[in-house]
Amino acid sequence: MPNVDRRQFLKLVGAGGVGAGAGFMLAESARHPVEHLIPYPVPPEEYSAGIATWYNSVCGMCPAGCGITVRTREGRPKKIEGNPLHPVNEGRLCALGQAGLQVLYNPDRLTGPLQQLGERGSSGFVDATWRGGLDAAAERIDAARNAGNRVVFLSGGVRGHLAALLETFTRELGSGQFLQYEFAHPHALHAANRRLFGIDRLPYYDIANADYVLSFGADFLNNWLSPVNYSLGFGRSRQEGEHRGRFVQVEARMSLSGAAADEWIPARPGTEGVLALALAQQLVANAYAGDDADAWRAALQDYTPERSADITDVPVETIEHLASALVDAGHALAIGGGSAAAHTNGADTLLAVNALNYLLGNVGRRGGMVFNPDPAIGASDTEPASYRAMEQLAADARAGAISVLVVSNANPLFNLPAAADFAGAIAAIPTVISLSSFMDETTALADLVLPSHTYLESWGDDAPDPGVGFTVGAVSQPVVSPLFDTRATGDIVLELGRRLGLGEAMPWPSFEECVKDGWRQLHAAGGEAAGDFDTFWRDVLRSGVWGTDTRAESGVAVPDEVIADIAVPEPQFAGSESDYPFVLQPYLSTGFYDGRGANLPWMQELPDPMTSVVYGSWLEMNPETARELGLRDGDLARVTSGNGAVEVPVVVYPAIRPDVVAMPIGQGHAGLGRYAENRGANPIELLAPSVDTRSGALATGATRVSVAGTGRRAEAVKIGGESRELGRNIIQRTGTSGSAGHSARLNSIPIVVESS
Amino acid sequence: MNIFERFVAGWRKYRKPGYYDDFDYHWTMTIDLDRCTGCSACVTACQAENNIPIVGEKELARGREMQWIRIERYWEGEYPNAKLNFIPMLCQHCDAAPCETVCPVSATYHNQDGLNAQVYNRCIGTRSCAVYCPYEVRYFNYYNHHWPTPLEQQLNPDVTVREKGVMEKCTFCIQRIRQAKDHAKDDGGRRVRDGEVQPACVQSCPTEALTFGDRDDPESKVAEKMRDPRAYRVLEDLNTDPSIVYLKKA
Amino acid sequence: MSTEDRSMRFADVNDDVVRSLVVTGRKYYITLACAIAVTLLCFFFPWFYQLYYGIGAAGMNHPTVWGTYLASFIFWIGLSHSGTLLSCVLHITNSEWRKAMYRSAEAMTLFSLMVAAMMVMVHVGRPWFIHWALPYPNQMEMWPNFRSPLLFDVMAIGTYLTGSLIFIYMGSIPDFAAVRDRTTGWRHHMYVLLSLGWRGTDTEWHRLGWAYTFLAVLIIPLAVSVHSIVSWDFAMSIVPGLHQTIFAPYFVVGAIYSGTAGIVTVMFVLRKYMNFEHYITKLHFDNLGKRLLVLALICTYIIVLELFTGLYIGTSTEYEQLKYKLTGFYAPLYWEMILFCAVAPLLLISKRFRTSFVPMLILSIAINIGMYTERFLIVSTTLSRQYLPETWRVYVPSLVEVSILVGSVAMFVTLFLLFVKIFPSVSIYEVKETMTQPARKRGHAEWQTT
Amino acid sequence: MADHVVGLFDDAESALAAAGRIKASGIGQPELISPIPVHGADEVLGPKKSVIRRFTFFGGIIGGLSGFTLAAGTAVLYLHPTGGRPIITFPPFLIITYEMTILFGILATVLGFLISARFPALRDRVYVPEAAVDKFVVTIQCEGDASNQARMILGEMGAGDIRQWNEATP
């Protein structure tokens, strides 16, 4: 509701006569709703008013790399839809991907370069020019380079030719360092695959053809790796033809995927790997007939169902029936990640899960996991930085080894635990340059802001990883002329390169040319048969994607010493159980991913699928736990870890272990514009700096917390009311009572019965 | 035909329940609950396509959400056997819609496509249709909503922006249906092909749980899904004859 | 008739009534000014605010799209059932005691109908298009939907308003004539017009008698239908708790009940402040009290019946609805309603209570508060608990709504205050008819003074 | 022109008796003007029949027909199928019919009343202001001898005041 200021108030008082009211009502009825002009003073030739144009591009909202089709009218993007030709998403798109439009049109976007004249972090930003801004940036970088100090380019996850360009840029600087920090990067999965199979690629999970999917903590239907692709597969495994795959989810807190599962198994957090090994042990004991069966048997002998049941808190019967189901299923597939990998033993857990896959004989097979080939375009050697690498960066900064930090499309201040004190590290860096499109927490601490285009305004390309099991390349083309005085990240880097005399290594006049040049090489590799490049390029732009389905079955082997070494160590939690009785499980939220979606009003208004909460964060806890703590739904609770405390409303959540509490990631921004600012709390702040020992990734699920009521109420804004069906038979199941099909229209009065 | 016969013919015509002999198209959506994961992609798709306003936290706290499709969630059982079921709920486009009869100004009526149409500029805001709707899928504009610049540029020019005091609801993306029908008409007057038109929600659904098409065409995907023994309709005993057919969870 | 009446002469009646019209004390002006001020401040100002910003100024939300505005609408419609209906019934049955009070009771009908119509304007989202609900030829070629229960309302209330207006006017014509002769200036001109040239000839009396009786006969079923139709706004839906066959009689009884209580309130005020002690006596209160008691019992019966219906249907929807009503968020209001509408009226069993003025006033106000609550509960408890539990949400009225409710009462008071200065609020000729005149031949034996 | 003799009585019975005498004397049809309806006037002055009942009856019938026609006609002319109901639906249209029956019945009754009681009065008629308070008045239109005779009768019957009234002197 709009605020009434004094003037409006007086106006209203003035209108407080009946006569005035009548006139007002007339005026009200004559008033037209919002009208907008066509944004084309001089339209391009091919444009005709009222006809929509579709442009294919690549989604930049999460690392999955879905293909998108953007519908534009009068030169303005109106809707983002999935690109039906793109094999990752086949025309489908998740909520966050569709909200990309609000990244473009966000009212809080930075409209031009800014320079900080006051103290860092103060509101002393003044408008600057691009020329001045780039000169200043080049000057600082040049000075650092000459002094032999480090220049760090910290970006979010990038792929394709932009990654290659950034790599070239930092390499050519001599003292440069290129770091990619992606909060949700599956470091543990990489580490596990590397160790078990010697392959450093992510697999493609062929869920569509699997008969039995056993997922350990991976919220693959929501935001784990490539959710749209997995969802497509999941849908097809469920009800396509005669085949109806079963799906079992093992996790401490029911995720969206857990809700879709046929069976949900709340294992003790951090012990999912033990369960996997217990199943492996059963498999080896009962069904596995490979050459290395003996080695496995020896390695897994400790993981008996009984012992594993003790560790995992999963009953022996469950373990046994899972094992027999795995054996009986035609194609059984184990997936691990997400909350199961968020512990100090994350990589070991995933290793155990992959071992299960290996024993099920589905690695490289249909209905199993297929390793993706190396990306065809813009190969970059830079492994995304783990938490350990970021800690190192912070330490270097504090030691004064870093002169310039360029941050692009990353928000380490939000995505790193308070314990890492990245703000302190930044304070020690003389020059911080941000290329962000938004005034996020990190950008607020920059000296110079050179705002970049959003992904819808810039050129780019991408080889999705995890892909679809075969080589795919996609071109991301601008779908709208830039709305503001911003520039593409690639162009900014090229411009800086020119000013720093790196023109030889980066000869392209624009990033568009850089991308095109890369694709020209790709095209040339195709030889004569590929035809003329311009036609090829036009076709790629038109379809938005390039690649052929060459998914082939292949086998892998596991070295014996790895088998012998297989074990899942006990997870280490920060904080003692007596002081901090609950394990905190932060999870990526549906709308915000790792927090990047928090400034999108659609995402703020998207009810969380599990709790229906909008605009805010909350703490999920088991009803039993809540009862013991004397908390009710909507009480404001104080969550304290060894590293901090936040206050959030309680949401009683029926499907979470009593010893676990969970919080969604994404809210709690101090910056990022009007929709995100000062809303909810950020659970990442609470996390202890524990890492997964093998991969160095932040163990997000390894922090213990205590929860106490504050005596205040602050109900989370929920869309949903009563969350029980009360025997009304709204969601029906096959085999339960209720009206059968649409034949029984009249005799199906629902009687109050406890639904079984 | 003499006057009497004409009268009798007219009488028969106007006394026919539902009035239409045949719908031009009988648009129907099937929702496979076994596939639906509750990912909410459809919600945002709808919001983007249909210019659904951003209501704001304060208004949402007062219960004035506007999204035309919502994911309902129902818990079942207790820990550790708790289960969460989702059901997307949108206007059911009932053939015997309770909302239509109650509108005093005919702002909502049934059109020849079997759609429950809402005429925004006719609506005077009695909100009685929302009361009569057992599915609670009609949403009211309590205010004039604003899009902070430049967010207003995302508005879909094919869909009106609704004024305060107007009821709104899912239209099955009628602008897309109209476009497809026009296209088919230009294309030699053929009928709209199955799959040629999809509402935004159906188009976005990552698990392909939603299917849309003409029920009268026995070859269509929806007709096939409706023949599935899992097919049922929510609150069927109310005899509203909805055009949304759900497929039971397994 | 009480003894004091016997000593009165015809001329006194004229004097009293004319005095009530012409002599206006400072107290009246202060009251009127207050009433107008409250109407403007509490009704029109918030309403304009709401028009400017939208219905969102009220507290309605997604499942509960109807709120106090509609409850007020039903309440005022209900209150309107006091006057004209009661007056008609009593006229047909020739009840003697009706005559002193029916005029103001009918005025209540008229004004509560007007306030109810205002509530409709306040209720709808776009009141500037409210005329679209009327059948009139227009360039949009759009006529209303006659299948809509809401349109039944429009028709029924329109008819009722017309009928009540005509009824009260027709009954007042001889009085206008009587007052005409005693007034001067603009009042005289007004009454000349209003009295149509009434002389009081035997033919005129005869015609008036017939027309009046016909109107009464027509209005009784009309009044019954009006509130039945209002109930159908709800009962025609398939909302659990609203889709009830008992609703039509329930609403009619409730309406007469609250209307009768309203009459008691108005009688008290008239008696006290317009110096009508001679005309409005204990007898009236006694009779009204008996009627209230009967209505209270019927009302209680239906309230209980409603619970039984819910229990017997036995579906989850009805059952939860019932449970919610009795124990949920609004339960305190429910029990308050039971106390005010079903329990407290049992006091009326005592004749001493019925003939004491102040306790009757308090009870009548309590009954109306209870009946308002009942209307509010019909809307709020049912709409917030419909078929899909996921949509359940409580509704709390906003400040604007409360203010408009208060303002609507003030509007009613304003209209009534204006009325008492224009219409003879006690029927001169009918009071005279009841008075002892030894020289007059009586048509009916029971006219002899009791 | 039209002269009237007017006699004022204190009570209805004497007035009625006087009127009866005058009627019997054949001077003309006397008229009774009273502050309240006088019961028994029919017996003295002759029975009255009013046309109001016909107005009411036919008004109601016309109302009913026009009500149904309005509803059904609107539905047929502006085809808006709603709720799977037929275009011409009986239960709702009968309610409209019912309300319109009553509305037209009421309006016709008023019309009948105005016509039969000759309202509004556009010309001056014989009238005595006291009749609106407490006097029962007998008037008779007569001239000359008849007028004297009437005065005599009125005086005999105990009229408190006997006046002459003509159009020029209201």
Side-chain angles (χ1 to χ4, degrees), chain C residues 147-289:
Chain C
R147 277 169 229 127
S148 161
L150 271 74
L151 208 77
F152 307 166
D153 262 1
V154 173
M155 302 296 280
I157 292 170
T159 306
Y160 194 42
L161 195 58
T162 316
S164 303
L165 188 63
I166 287 172
F167 194 65
I168 189 172
Y169 173 67
M170 200 171 265
S172 310
I173 290 175
D175 290 351
F176 286 139
V179 175
R180 168 187 65 191
D181 302 339
R182 297 278 299 270
T183 50
T184 53
W186 64 270
R187 278 203 186 85
H188 179 71
H189 294 299
M190 180 177 77
Y191 290 123
V192 164
L193 284 177
L194 285 174
S195 62
L196 297 173
W198 174 272
R199 294 178 294 155
T201 64
D202 49 337
T203 317
E204 284 170 358
W205 282 119
H206 176 259
R207 303 292 190 259
L208 181 70
W210 274 109
Y212 201 65
T213 306
F214 280 139
L215 285 182
V217 169
L218 282 170
I219 283 172
I220 292 169
L222 171 65
V224 171
S225 84
V226 168
H227 225 72
S228 311
I229 283 172
V230 169
S231 86
W232 292 337
D233 287 354
F234 299 106
M236 293 284 177
S237 73
I238 45 177
V239 177
L242 290 184
H243 189 51
Q244 306 248 13
T245 45
I246 194 75
F247 257 39
Y250 186 18
F251 272 51
V252 173
V253 169
I256 301 172
Y257 185 34
S258 74
T260 311
I263 293 181
V264 172
T265 314
V266 169
M267 289 303 125
F268 180 89
V269 175
L270 280 182
R271 184 178 185 283
K272 183 101 183 162
Y273 298 102
M274 302 288 291
N275 306 316
F276 285 154
E277 285 94 345
H278 300 306
Y279 307 98
I280 300 160
T281 59
K282 283 187 175 166
L283 172 82
H284 294 102
F285 281 78
D286 189 27
N287 281 334
L288 286 169

Side-chain angles (χ1 to χ4, degrees), chain A residues 354-612:
Chain A
N354 278 351
L356 197 55
N357 272 326
Y358 174 81
L359 293 173
L360 288 164
N362 64 18
V363 181
R365 297 277 186 279
R366 184 172 183 273
M369 54 190 270
V370 180
F371 281 99
N372 284 305
D374 284 334
I377 48 164
S380 139
D381 306 327
T382 317
E383 185 50 30
S386 65
Y387 178 69
R388 214 177 258 155
M390 292 301 282
E391 256 184 344
Q392 186 57 48
L393 175 72
D396 289 352
R398 270 190 286 270
I402 297 170
S403 285
V404 180
L405 175 70
V406 185
V407 188
S408 158
N409 204 18
N411 192 3
L413 241 59
F414 182 83
N415 286 132
L416 286 175
D421 191 23
F422 204 75
I426 279 190
I429 301 175
T431 305
V432 177
I433 302 167
S434 171
L435 308 188
S436 171
S437 312
F438 295 98
M439 189 52 76
D440 56 32
E441 289 85 345
T442 313
T443 306
L445 294 183
D447 302 297
L448 187 60
V449 185
L450 302 174
S452 58
H453 284 341
T454 61
Y455 69 100
L456 292 172
E457 296 161 306
S458 39
W459 283 95
D461 55 1
D462 183 45
D465 179 45
V468 285
F470 54 86
T471 307
V472 175
V475 177
S476 160
Q477 58 177 326
V479 298
V480 59
S481 51
L483 291 187
F484 300 112
D485 188 16
T486 56
R487 293 194 183 182
T489 312
D491 287 331
I492 296 170
V493 170
L494 284 172
E495 194 64 41
L496 284 175
R498 264 195 291 282
R499 274 158 216 249
L500 292 165
L502 309 176
E504 216 162 288
M506 305 189 293
W508 306 283
S510 68
F511 185 59
E512 178 187 357
E513 286 306 317
C514 170
V515 171
K516 217 166 159 180
D517 207 40
W519 281 76
R520 199 169 274 127
Q521 285 165 31
L522 182 79
H523 174 251
E528 291 293 311
D532 142 58
F533 175 71
D534 286 337
T535 320
F536 169 74
W537 181 240
R538 209 170 43 242
D539 287 349
V540 168
L541 284 188
R542 201 168 279 167
S543 61
V545 66
W546 165 89
T548 23
D549 188 348
T550 53
R551 211 179 284 153
E553 302 210 337
S554 62
V556 286
V558 178
D560 276 354
E561 66 272 19
V562 176
I563 298 175
D565 198 24
I566 213 159
V568 174
E570 204 178 312
Q572 301 301 313
F573 292 98
S576 69
E577 195 167 349
S578 51
D579 292 344
Y580 301 106
F582 305 105
V583 173
L584 174 69
Q585 188 189 318
Y587 61 92
L588 298 177
S589 56
T590 308
F592 310 132
Y593 195 60
D594 59 0
R596 65 184 67 175
N599 60 344
L600 313 177
W602 282 343
M603 292 298 97
Q604 287 283 1
E605 299 214 339
L606 184 72
D608 175 69
M610 303 297 282
T611 58
S612 86

Side-chain angles (χ1 to χ4, degrees), chain A residues 684-707:
Chain A
I684 303 175
E685 279 177 21
L686 298 179
L687 298 184
S690 330
V691 291
D692 173 12
T693 44
R694 245 183 233 280
S695 69
L698 179 65
T700 55
T703 307
R704 287 188 163 279
V705 293
S706 67
V707 178

